[in-house]
Each structure stands twice: as C-alpha cells, then as structure tokens.
Amino acid sequence: MVRLRNAIRAAATVLAGAALGGCGEIDRPVVVGAKDFAEQQITAQLLAQSLRAHDIAAEVDDTARDSLGAIGALWVGEIDVYVDYTGSILALSGLPPVHDDAASFVAAQQALEPFELTAGPLLGFSNDYVVLARPGSRAAAAPARLSALADSGQALRMGMTDEFRARPVDGFEPLTRRYGLRAEPSLLVPSSPEGKDRLYASLLDADIDLAVGFSTDPQIAEFGLVRLADDRGFFPAYAAAPVTRAGLLARRPDIAPALASLEGRVSTEAMRGMMAEVATLGADPFAVVARFLDPTLPPTSDGTLARPFGIAVGRLDAVAGQAADVVLGLRKAFPGRRIEVR
C-alpha cells in the first residue's frame, strides 16, 4: 500500500495545477485515459464509445502513461476513468498476488478504497504476463515449463519492457528468484507498439532467448511463439476493469450504468482479435471498437484499412521463419499499412 500511496502523492505534486474532482465534473466531458501500450488504445475507445452511447460526452486523453502515472492522473482529476488490471493494482499496493479473477477483483477494490478510487465492472478478459520462446529453440524444448528451464541451468538472455523490469512484486527479479532462473535482462524496450515490435523481432532473430509479453499480444499466434508454463504460479490474475473516482460516480450517477454495459462483454479472445487488427494490421482503434460494439457497421475504407499487403506462406513453411522477417520488414517500411499472412 505504501508504494501506491507514494505514487499518488508524487502525482499530486507534479500535477499540482490540475483541478481535483468537484462540481466542474458535471458540466465537462468525461476524460478517458490510457496507459502506454497498444491494448490501452482499445480499452480507452471501449470506455469512451460506451459512455457516448449512453448520451454522456466523453473524450480520450491519449497521453501515454505508465501504471503509476495513470493512477496518479486519475486521483488528481487529470483523467476520470481508465482500464487497469487487478494484478497490477495489487502489485502497486505492495500486496501479495491473487490468482483467481474474482478474488483478485475484490482485493483490488479493497486496495483502492482508502484513496477514494473504485474499480469495476470486470470487462471479461485478462491480460496476463507470459514468458515466450522462439519455436525450435533450446528454451522452447519440451517440457515447455519455467521450472524445467530453470532445472536445465541454461544461461538466458531475456527481453522485456522497462516497466516489467522495474516491477517489485511481479517483475523480472521476483520471477527469477521464484524459479531460480539464470537470466539477465538483456533487452529493455518501452511498452509502445514500436517497443513490442523490437522485442519480438529480437526474439525471432535469436538476439534474446526469452521475451516477456502479454497474453493478448497478437505476435504470439502470428509467429507461433511458445508460451512457457508458469507452473509455480508466480503471475497473479490480471483481470481488466475500469478504475475511476468514487466521488465522480456519486456526482455523475449516469456513468455507472454506462460502464456496467461492458461487464463481461470483452472476452480474452475478442481482445486478442482487436489487438491483431490494431497492432498487426494497423487498423484504427476507433473503427475496430466501433465494429466490435456494433457488428452491423461496415468496414471503414480509410488509409489504415486500405488494400493490405498479402504474404502467401506455403504449408511447409514456418510462420516464425522467413514470413516473420517479411512482416517485420514491411511494418518498418510501411507503418500503419495492413499486412495479411495467408
């Protein structure tokens, strides 16, 4: 709890000029925030479009924030709502991990209560940390379990985001201690889409042995990456839910029903599909979410959804081989252009 309290105090100092929640919240649009990775572009649109569907003016603040920055901005009133993950809230609070989604949600709500913040409802998906290996590599050899990899004594080069490296409860150092892994943080990248592309490109190029990603990352299926089982239960549940100020809900009773309309609506598979469109095909998050909320909408014809590059892969060719190299090259050369592997 101390770390979360310190984060909020630090944010209050930095954002001292921001207006804390009050009567002005009734008249202005609800400001939806986001963290600094691609999935949060989607969750921000889910919240904003659902609010507008309930005749609530809403706008998206696309400032890229890390976990500490997002919850601090919420507390001081710079943003009004964003999506966070139960395991991340507990980690920020210095509380032990909880592995069941429902129990993790209750624990996260209790952790937020002293700060007059509230979470809910659960959206239906989880964005778990996963440890990934390149197909055919020594690290991916059966049995694909983290404990077996530790028992092998292999020296490992790991890639991860800066945030995962720094997390004190569910990050790199606690992970290596739990399993006794001989690992070094050989590659650190930002959580941005560009950082993720670099992370997975380095894994495919064998510059690193393992990458720590999210379970909703489309690159896992796109490149046939091997997920190593967390057989000692290190990672907690990371169930997704909107987080907002309790005072805002009291002053704006129309917001709660709008958020409740999303309860259980977004499965992990559905989020993975939207992530594939945004992060892999370069689609506009607004259009992707609009079609998810209303499947009767036709596909858009803007630049990001224009005629895609098509890559044909033979049945005997590995998706993680030459096709992966081509995909990565095209993404760098034509950012935002759709790419389809067939």
Side-chain angles (χ1 to χ4, degrees):
M1 199 73 73
V2 172
R3 189 166 187 255
L4 183 56
R5 185 178 294 112
N6 289 342
I8 288 176
R9 286 175 176 169
T13 300
V14 173
L15 302 173
L20 293 174
C23 60
E25 295 171 332
I26 297 176
D27 302 322
R28 63 170 173 77
V30 175
V31 180
V32 180
K35 296 193 196 182
D36 54 356
F37 51 97
E39 182 177 283
Q40 288 276 306
Q41 298 172 16
I42 297 171
T43 58
Q45 287 297 332
L46 282 167
L47 297 183
Q49 293 186 38
S50 295
L51 289 165
R52 293 174 192 141
H54 286 75
D55 297 320
I56 300 170
E59 60 186 35
V60 174
D61 177 352
D62 57 4
T63 303
R65 299 176 172 91
D66 61 14
S67 294
L68 295 174
I71 203 164
L74 175 67
W75 192 76
V76 301
E78 191 174 67
I79 60 175
D80 297 316
V81 63
Y82 76 104
V83 169
D84 213 329
Y85 310 91
T86 55
S88 293
I89 293 170
L90 295 179
L92 284 175
S93 304
L95 297 173
V98 178
H99 296 89
D100 173 76
D101 280 359
S104 180
F105 179 53
V106 171
Q109 288 177 308
Q110 293 172 345
L112 293 170
E113 188 175 357
F115 306 99
E116 299 182 349
L117 303 178
T118 184
L122 289 176
L123 299 181
F125 75 95
S126 293
N127 191 17
D128 304 327
Y129 277 117
V130 289
V131 180
L132 304 158
R134 188 176 62 260
S137 67
R138 181 183 174 191
R145 302 193 304 265
L146 284 171
S147 62
L149 192 58
D151 291 342
S152 73
Q154 181 180 349
L156 300 163
R157 302 162 299 165
M158 291 185 66
M160 65 204 72
T161 62
D162 296 299
E163 180 168 331
F164 183 79
R165 174 69 177 86
R167 290 172 79 102
V169 176
D170 57 350
F172 170 74
E173 290 186 1
L175 173 67
T176 55
R177 286 197 302 268
R178 171 69 67 87
Y179 280 97
L181 293 168
R182 293 181 56 208
E184 295 292 333
S186 302
L187 175 66
L188 300 177
V189 299
S191 299
S192 64
E194 295 78 14
K196 281 297 185 71
D197 278 346
R198 183 184 170 201
L199 176 69
Y200 288 118
S202 297
L203 182 63
L204 293 171
D205 289 340
D207 294 330
I208 55 176
D209 304 303
L210 299 174
V212 181
F214 292 134
S215 58
T216 56
D217 287 346
Q219 294 93 336
I220 298 173
E222 183 181 9
F223 300 136
L225 303 178
V226 177
R227 178 173 175 171
L228 301 182
D230 176 21
D231 53 320
R232 293 181 184 167
F234 170 77
F235 290 115
Y238 295 95
V243 180
T244 187
R245 293 184 299 281
L248 175 63
L249 295 184
R251 287 183 286 273
R252 294 287 305 270
D254 53 339
I255 292 177
L259 299 180
S261 70
L262 288 170
E263 183 171 8
R265 190 166 179 183
V266 188
S267 67
T268 299
E269 292 72 21
M271 178 53 72
R272 193 175 291 128
M274 287 189 281
M275 278 289 293
E277 290 192 69
V278 172
T280 304
L281 304 180
D284 179 7
F286 178 91
V288 170
V289 170
R291 288 199 304 278
F292 172 77
L293 294 174
D294 184 1
T296 64
L297 290 177
T300 65
S301 57
D302 61 27
T304 60
L305 293 177
R307 183 172 59 85
F309 283 112
I311 303 174
V313 180
R315 293 182 179 179
L316 300 180
D317 293 328
V319 176
Q322 292 180 335
D325 294 336
V326 173
V327 169
L328 291 168
L330 287 174
R331 282 194 195 153
K332 293 176 182 177
F334 301 96
R337 182 73 178 272
R338 289 183 63 188
I339 301 169
E340 293 183 357
V341 180
R342 303 164 182 151

